[in-house]
Amino acid sequence: MTSTSAECKDKRVKVCLLGPSFDTGNLGVNALVEASIKAIVNRWPDAEVTLLGSGWVDREYRLTLFGRETQVKSMPIRFCTNVLLPNHFMVLLLYGMMLNVFRGHRMREALSRRNAYLRTILEASVVFDNTGGDSFSDIYGMGRFIKGFLRKWLVRFFGKKLVLLPQTYGPFNRRLTKVLARQILDYATLVYSRDRRGLEDVRKLIGEGRSDDRIKFIPDVGFLLDPSRPVGEEIESLEKLKSGHKALIGLNVSGLLSCISDSGDNVFKLRVNYPALIDSIVEFLMKQEGTAVLLVPHVVSLKKSGAPPRRSVPKRGYREQSDSVACERLYKLAVEKHPGRIFTVRGHYNHNETKYIIGLCDFFIGSRMHSCIAALSQGIPAVGIAYSGKFQGVFESVGVGDCVADARCCVDTEVLETISSAFQDRERIRETLRRTMPCVQREVLGMFEGLEL
């Protein structure tokens, strides 16, 4: 297998970003994508960025970063049954095999003219990958892991430089996933982990006792995301709501954990009944003087985002529902009991706008990690209700590791104790974030300073 790299036809740095694009409905994934592009543009201001990941059709996005417009192409790699599509994984693999046999410049030029997806890969100076933040693991099932692996393996097949962006590595519960993950980790030019524990996990996977300076710690890139004020009557009402209470508390309810609990398939091995826990949290917050609760979804309707329904967890009998559905269900049950004190976000907002809404809160509780990152990055004390190990390391990276309630280890009362303690101590947490967050954001923004292309 040989490299088929092609030199860029102009002086602009051309980079590809693997993984999901902006059409998943998961605002945390969207935040990762935009924040990754922000870090890339900070290092290479005129970079031509192309997303090679999930999706159904080619798209173009315009982002405002550092006060200027950045145009980003999305060219998904498909794994569907129609293997004749020009962007199907098997078609790109076939082209790669042809280039491996017919190594002449003319063949490369001919195939590049024939297939824009192949041309994009060949012209890339580097390929970045974030694997959706936490999907470099078999925790969500083998299907998702294998697709992510094959995209990275394709990059390796073409001999392109691969940089693994800050993410969570593992857990790997199957021998096969460990073997495949090791191949990618061995090949990557740089391996960034968003938590310090992940550094040891990666080193252990690639070989104990092996010193490897490719493996580095960088906090989650989501801390870089810029908030953006939406327009509309709902936002104006929410801004008035903030001024009308002593403490506005944001609560993110996970549709994923709700539907898992409803189905009885405890895939994440939680020690709590999630819907009952959320009910208890609302009751606890209502007992605090002068508080109001704002329900904030962070995975919106997949139908609205243009994506068809998809299986998100490796169990039979259910599909992941959006947080919007879970929040609306909770709101209808709680509003009669607590009129004028519980509210829900109903508008369809993107990741930047949702971060602005979270920024209106005085305290935040989230089951989606990037909803918590949206709060923490704005200096808002937050508690994460964890269903995996990714929460702890990310919270520790900004100095608030004691604000994680791991539902795999804690029972309901222990989760409530963590929330109560953080709520009472929120001014100290706010001060900690005020000190740590600027340093964290500078560290993330500058992670490519030593990377030469």
Side-chain angles (χ1 to χ4, degrees), residues 147-198:
K147 287 181 181 179
F149 166 79
L150 289 176
R151 290 190 184 101
K152 298 179 188 64
W153 184 85
L154 191 65
V155 171
R156 175 181 175 177
F157 187 81
F158 281 102
K160 310 306 294 185
K161 183 180 293 186
L162 175 65
V163 174
L164 298 179
L165 296 176
Q167 57 190 283
T168 300
Y169 300 96
F172 303 108
N173 298 311
R174 299 171 177 85
R175 181 176 299 178
L176 175 60
T177 52
K178 291 180 181 179
V179 171
L180 297 179
R182 186 180 296 115
Q183 289 188 27
I184 299 301
L185 293 169
D186 279 335
Y187 175 76
T189 301
L190 287 170
V191 178
Y192 290 119
S193 172
R194 64 184 177 184
D195 62 85
R196 297 188 184 279
R197 296 180 185 183

Side-chain angles (χ1 to χ4, degrees), residues 147-391:
K147 287 181 181 179
F149 166 79
L150 289 176
R151 290 190 184 101
K152 298 179 188 64
W153 184 85
L154 191 65
V155 171
R156 175 181 175 177
F157 187 81
F158 281 102
K160 310 306 294 185
K161 183 180 293 186
L162 175 65
V163 174
L164 298 179
L165 296 176
Q167 57 190 283
T168 300
Y169 300 96
F172 303 108
N173 298 311
R174 299 171 177 85
R175 181 176 299 178
L176 175 60
T177 52
K178 291 180 181 179
V179 171
L180 297 179
R182 186 180 296 115
Q183 289 188 27
I184 299 301
L185 293 169
D186 279 335
Y187 175 76
T189 301
L190 287 170
V191 178
Y192 290 119
S193 172
R194 64 184 177 184
D195 62 85
R196 297 188 184 279
R197 296 180 185 183
L199 299 176
E200 295 307 314
D201 292 339
V202 171
R203 291 190 178 104
K204 184 180 297 184
L205 188 62
I206 64 176
E208 293 188 19
R210 174 177 168 182
S211 177
D212 200 328
D213 58 6
R214 297 177 304 125
I215 305 168
K216 304 176 184 294
F217 164 75
I218 291 290
D220 192 287
V221 295
F223 289 116
L224 295 180
L225 183 70
D226 298 315
S228 176
R229 185 186 184 278
V231 296
E233 295 181 359
E234 183 176 38
I235 300 304
E236 295 173 0
S237 298
L238 293 178
E239 290 172 337
K240 293 178 182 178
L241 177 65
K242 175 179 173 63
S243 62
H245 295 83
K246 291 183 179 179
L248 178 61
I249 303 171
L251 176 60
N252 162 245
V253 184
S254 169
L256 172 63
L257 300 185
S258 296
C259 68
I260 284 175
S261 178
D262 292 343
S263 71
D265 288 320
N266 192 7
V267 62
F268 296 120
K269 297 181 172 57
L270 305 185
R271 294 186 64 193
V272 302
N273 178 291
Y274 183 74
L277 171 65
I278 293 297
D279 290 342
S280 298
I281 291 173
V282 170
E283 293 305 312
F284 165 77
L285 296 175
M286 290 296 99
K287 292 177 182 178
Q288 312 306 310
E289 183 182 356
T291 58
V293 174
L294 177 63
L295 305 179
V296 184
H298 214 253
V299 170
V300 298
S301 170
L302 296 176
K303 183 176 181 181
K304 288 182 180 179
S305 72
R310 59 184 175 83
R311 290 183 63 85
S312 298
V313 282
K315 290 290 179 178
R316 298 184 300 273
Y318 64 89
R319 297 178 186 269
E320 178 181 351
Q321 66 184 21
S322 72
D323 295 358
S324 305
V325 174
C327 287
E328 186 65 28
R329 183 169 63 177
L330 174 61
Y331 173 78
K332 289 179 178 179
L333 293 174
V335 69
E336 292 184 6
K337 188 175 182 180
H338 306 288
R341 293 189 66 193
I342 186 165
F343 309 87
T344 188
V345 176
R346 287 200 170 100
H348 185 52
Y349 304 105
N350 68 19
H351 46 293
N352 309 92
E353 295 167 335
T354 299
K355 181 167 183 173
Y356 176 88
I357 293 170
I358 291 174
L360 297 175
C361 301
D362 300 293
F363 186 76
F364 193 81
I365 304 165
S367 304
R368 301 282 189 178
M369 191 180 72
H370 273 271
S371 69
C372 297
I373 289 176
L376 295 171
S377 60
Q378 297 181 90
I380 299 168
V383 171
I385 302 176
Y387 63 88
S388 74
K390 64 181 180 179
F391 283 75

